[in-house]
Every structure is written in C-alpha cells, then in structure tokens.
Amino acid sequence: MQELGRLEDLPEAYRAALAAQNLVPLWPSLRAVLPPGKPTPRTRPTCWSYQALRPLLLQAGALTPIERAERRVLVLANPGHGLEKMQASSTIYLGMQLLLPGERAPAHRHTPNAVRMIVEGEGAYTTVDGEKCPMQRGDLILTPTGVWHEHGHDGAQPVVWLDVLDLPLLYYMEASYVTEGRAQTVASEAAWQAYQHGGVVPAPMFERSVQAYPMLRYPWADVRKALETLAASRPQIEAVQLAYVNPETGADCQKILGYSALMLRAGEQLKLPARSTAVVFHQIEGGVEVSLEDHQFSLLEADTCCIPGYTQITLSNCSNDLPAFIFIADDAPLQKKLGIYEVRS
Ligand code: GTQ
C-alpha cells in the first residue's frame, strides 16, 4: 500500500492557513480512518472479576446513599477507550448496580436501551412501564428506549445486577438524555407474563398484539431449561445457543444490541469465528476459559469480559462434569441493519 504524505511534510504556514479555515488535509489521516483489511479497534480484551469488584461495590453502598447516587453503579470501563469514557466497547456500556434492602432507584426514562442481567440477591424488582418484573439470578429484564423504569428492593440481602446499555452509541450520536418521573403505579396486569411460553402469543379476538416490546422479562429458569432441551434434542448442533427475541416478531429483542445465552456442555470446547462485532461474555453458571490469539481469560461465575470485533475466540468449559452457561451481548442487530456485519472463518 502506497505510503501517504505526512502532516509534517506540509509547510507550517499552509497548515495554519488550513486550520484558520477549519480545514484538514485527508491524506495524513487516511490510513487511520480507513485501515487496510480490518478496523483498528480501541476496544481491548478486558476482563472484570466479580470477586474483585464485589467488595468495592458493597463499599459504594456504605459510602454513597442511594439518594446521592440515583443509580449506584460501578462502570466496567475498557481502558482502550479511556476509563473516563465509561464504555466496554464502541457501542456497549456495562455497569454493576447495587441496590440494598429497602432502597429505591427512582423512575426515569431515557433514549438509550437497557437490559439487566441479575447477578445475585433476592427480592428486588424493576417496574417497567407500570409492570413489576421480579429479579432473580440469571433473569434478563428489558428497559427499552423511552420506557419508564425504576428499581425497588423488598428483600433482606444486597441485590446486584449487570446493566447493559447502548449508551456509548447514543451519546456519540448526541441523542442521549433522561427524563425524571414520579413513582409509577404498578399495573394490575403484568402483560409480559403472557409471553413466557414459546410458540404461543396473545391474540385476543383474533388480533395479535402490536406492542414493540411485549416481553420484558426472560426468567433464567426458563432459558436454562430451553438450553438443556436444545442440547438434549439436538446433540449434533454446533452451539447450544438461544437468542433473546421479541416473541411477536421473532426479531432481536432490541434494535441495537443483541443478547443470547450459550450453554457449553461438560468438557466442551467451542471455536467462534471472527465476527465484525465486539462481544461481551458474562458467566451465569460454571467456569469457562476464553482464549484469543494473544490473550486468555478464566471466567468464573459472575465474571464479565469484553473482546473486540474481528477476533477468533475459543471457549472451553472448565468442567468435564457440569455444563457452563454464558450470557452474550453484541451489537450485531445494529451492524446487520447497517449492512456491515461480517463473519470471517
Ligand atoms: O438503572 O436506569 O447502569 O439509567 C446506567 C444508567 C443503569 C438504570 C445504568 C441507568 C441505569
């Protein structure tokens, strides 16, 4: 590839004249913005140990009352982007949120889409558009764009969950903002409950629902069972993996980020092809070795890692007796809509 002229090659006076007119020569930066063959990611392979972050999160509970935090979150920041940017990847934000017994995180709604993956504790709930969604370990709860949500906790032990948002993308788009609200009245109906069974959806008087986000809660007990059924019924399947979808349309459950659950059978090793999306793995149960060309992570229960796009990944279940379960997030739905999604073998 032809080497291009550098900025230093240009006379100082010329550079100053350009800058005075808000002009920039392209050629010194052309290879940086259009690198050959594949992108140059800022996202670095990064792993966050739950064992290491848990005491710090609990300490935040003692240091900062909920009223002074609104959302008591430690952000899982990727050093490749700069910690202050609070991004795990170019589009994905990850945070570990702590709610103590009796606390409430007040109602608001915002343009970024969020999901919560419950990590530990019992008795907390998120109210989404008036519908109360109980939180249990491994459950996925959606709070899509523009939807009111607040968190409460009637249990006795601290509750922790992983927040996944498309905040970095919306912030970059200058489209991120919040609206404060008053406490929601909990509806007498929890419509999401009617979507808990695969293959059937409500059709009152022959009419299908038109809600954009009919299913707000995906209980782990059901997803785990579905993974085990898939593994047992299709022993030859390449990967025991289920996508979280909108049960009305079959499409990804959110428009920008995509979510799935993967089961690694006892002793299983799975090679994932390089794909154009960065990916987040969060260990729900068991332990997994994550191997990249020049990195290796051991994911223990509740650990989370982020890996840049265009990277081959090998996942190995650390146990020869028990399955391992991983929650996966990426921005494949967005990349597919934009026509830039790639899988390279
Ligand atoms: O729980 O609504 O981690 O608004 C970041 C922003 C959580 C939330 C985050 C939020 C929330």
Side-chain angles (χ1 to χ4, degrees), residues 71 73 93 97 108 110 116 149 151 163 165:
R71 300 297 192 262
V73 175
Y93 159 102
Q97 182 160 173
H108 70 190
H110 39 67
R116 342 247 154 235
H149 56 280
H151 315 297
D163 290 313
L165 282 81

Side-chain angles (χ1 to χ4, degrees), residues 173-239:
M173 293 170 74
E174 301 185 347
S176 175
Y177 73 95
V178 70
T179 309
E180 300 296 323
R182 274 173 299 178
Q184 301 167 75
T185 312
V186 175
S188 57
E189 299 185 358
W192 57 266
Q193 288 194 5
Y195 288 94
Q196 302 295 288
H197 308 283
V200 283
V201 296
M205 297 303 277
F206 308 100
E207 295 304 321
R208 294 276 297 278
S209 163
V210 290
Q211 292 173 73
Y213 300 98
M215 189 150 166
L216 299 173
R217 176 169 183 253
Y218 298 75
W220 175 237
D222 296 345
V223 177
R224 194 183 191 286
K225 214 180 299 167
L227 286 165
E228 288 188 316
T229 304
L230 179 62
S233 59
R234 296 188 57 192
Q236 303 299 324
I237 201 168
E238 255 188 299

Side-chain angles (χ1 to χ4, degrees), residues 15-25:
R15 283 155 61 183
L18 290 178
Q21 300 302 319
N22 297 321
L23 295 170
V24 175

Side-chain angles (χ1 to χ4, degrees), residues 117 136-141 195-198 215 217-231 240-245 259-263 284-285 324-328:
M117 165 54 51
Q136 282 184 324
R137 199 171 81 85
D139 290 355
L140 185 73
I141 296 173
Y195 288 94
Q196 302 295 288
H197 308 283
M215 189 150 166
R217 176 169 183 253
Y218 298 75
W220 175 237
D222 296 345
V223 177
R224 194 183 191 286
K225 214 180 299 167
L227 286 165
E228 288 188 316
T229 304
L230 179 62
V240 184
Q241 188 170 12
L242 294 171
Y244 291 89
V245 300
Y259 302 100
S260 62
L262 173 72
M263 171 176 155
I284 299 180
E285 270 183 59
F325 296 92
I326 301 178
F327 172 65
I328 302 178

Side-chain angles (χ1 to χ4, degrees), residues 3 10 13 27 43 54 64 139 142 155 166 172 195 204 223 240 250-251 296 298 309 315:
E3 210 169 297
L10 299 170
W27 58 97
T43 303
R54 187 177 186 276
T64 307
D139 290 355
L142 309 190
D166 50 22
Y172 175 75
Y195 288 94
V223 177
V240 184
Q296 188 144 352
S298 292
L315 300 174

